[in-house]
Amino acid sequence: MSTINPLFVDSTKPIGDKVVTNVELLAVSLQPGESLFFELTDEFGFEQKYEMKKLETKKSVKYTTEVWLKYQHPIHYRFLVVAEGAEVQTSAMRDICAGHIISEKWEPCAAGEFVKSKKSKRKSTQSVTVAQPKDKNAAPVIKATAAKPLCEPHILSQIKSLFDDLL
């Protein structure tokens, strides 16, 4: 019984347990000074980046990294090529449920899609405040402020998840 059948291990693992996910990207070539990153966003919107390492064999060259994820929980991910701190190329954003492996071939997205994905990631932090005037007959004054809300959805779940990771 020196080897364990991975199907048996998967079938007994409850959803939500932590697993090591091996991430690999094939058919990518980097220029000198460029780095490859795996960027993921979990179900709570927590974003993480992992640098990928080059692994050369006689048959192929691939980039790999290992990530701890909650088994069968949804994530969004993409691959980034970064040079001098700026994103040069990116793959399209993908959605999956976390498992033991993510293996893909490099497919950079078109320039228009790259711009769209960068704009969609920015959150608007502008909120609208309605001030009631002292005179009851006057119209209310609407002010736009750049404040963030005090309570974001799922913040307690995010904190709990972070503590679970530490323990």
Side-chain angles (χ1 to χ4, degrees), residues 6-21 43 67-75 96-101 165:
L7 295 176
F8 178 74
V9 173
D10 287 349
S11 65
T12 61
K13 183 169 284 303
I15 292 175
D17 277 2
K18 297 282 185 175
V19 294
V20 175
T21 302
E43 60 191 325
V67 181
W68 278 90
L69 297 174
K70 286 188 175 182
Y71 184 66
Q72 293 299 313
H73 279 243
I75 63 166
I96 64 162
C97 287
H100 291 282
I101 191 163
D165 290 345

Side-chain angles (χ1 to χ4, degrees), residues 153-166:
H154 307 295
I155 191 75
L156 293 176
S157 299
Q158 290 176 355
I159 292 171
K160 184 180 176 192
S161 176
L162 291 173
F163 280 123
D164 289 342
D165 290 345
L166 293 174

Side-chain angles (χ1 to χ4, degrees), residues 29-61:
S29 60
L30 298 178
Q31 301 300 321
E34 291 182 339
S35 301
L36 184 65
F37 289 89
F38 174 70
E39 179 183 79
L40 74 92
T41 306
D42 67 6
E43 60 191 325
F44 304 113
F46 185 68
E47 190 175 290
Q48 299 173 356
K49 280 186 184 177
Y50 298 91
E51 186 170 7
M52 299 187 75
K53 297 176 184 166
K54 187 176 186 178
L55 182 65
E56 292 185 58
T57 62
K58 291 181 181 179
K59 294 182 181 179
S60 66
V61 175

Side-chain angles (χ1 to χ4, degrees), residues 31-136:
Q31 301 300 321
E34 291 182 339
S35 301
L36 184 65
F37 289 89
F38 174 70
E39 179 183 79
L40 74 92
T41 306
D42 67 6
E43 60 191 325
F44 304 113
F46 185 68
E47 190 175 290
Q48 299 173 356
K49 280 186 184 177
Y50 298 91
E51 186 170 7
M52 299 187 75
K53 297 176 184 166
K54 187 176 186 178
L55 182 65
E56 292 185 58
T57 62
K58 291 181 181 179
K59 294 182 181 179
S60 66
V61 175
K62 62 182 174 182
Y63 287 82
T64 64
T65 191
E66 290 182 347
V67 181
W68 278 90
L69 297 174
K70 286 188 175 182
Y71 184 66
Q72 293 299 313
H73 279 243
I75 63 166
H76 313 288
Y77 71 92
R78 67 182 181 152
F79 297 96
L80 304 166
V81 176
V82 177
E84 298 177 7
E87 295 178 12
V88 177
Q89 287 185 325
T90 182
S91 67
M93 190 67 94
R94 301 192 193 277
D95 302 325
I96 64 162
C97 287
H100 291 282
I101 191 163
I102 298 172
S103 181
E104 287 191 19
K105 285 188 176 181
W106 173 245
E107 294 177 15
C109 64
E113 292 177 33
F114 177 64
V115 171
K116 257 192 258 179
S117 68
K118 283 182 77 174
K119 285 183 181 177
S120 66
K121 284 180 66 178
R122 293 184 187 143
K123 292 183 180 178
S124 175
T125 59
Q126 189 175 23
S127 63
V128 177
T129 305
V130 179
Q132 295 297 330
K134 293 179 182 177
D135 184 16
K136 293 183 180 179

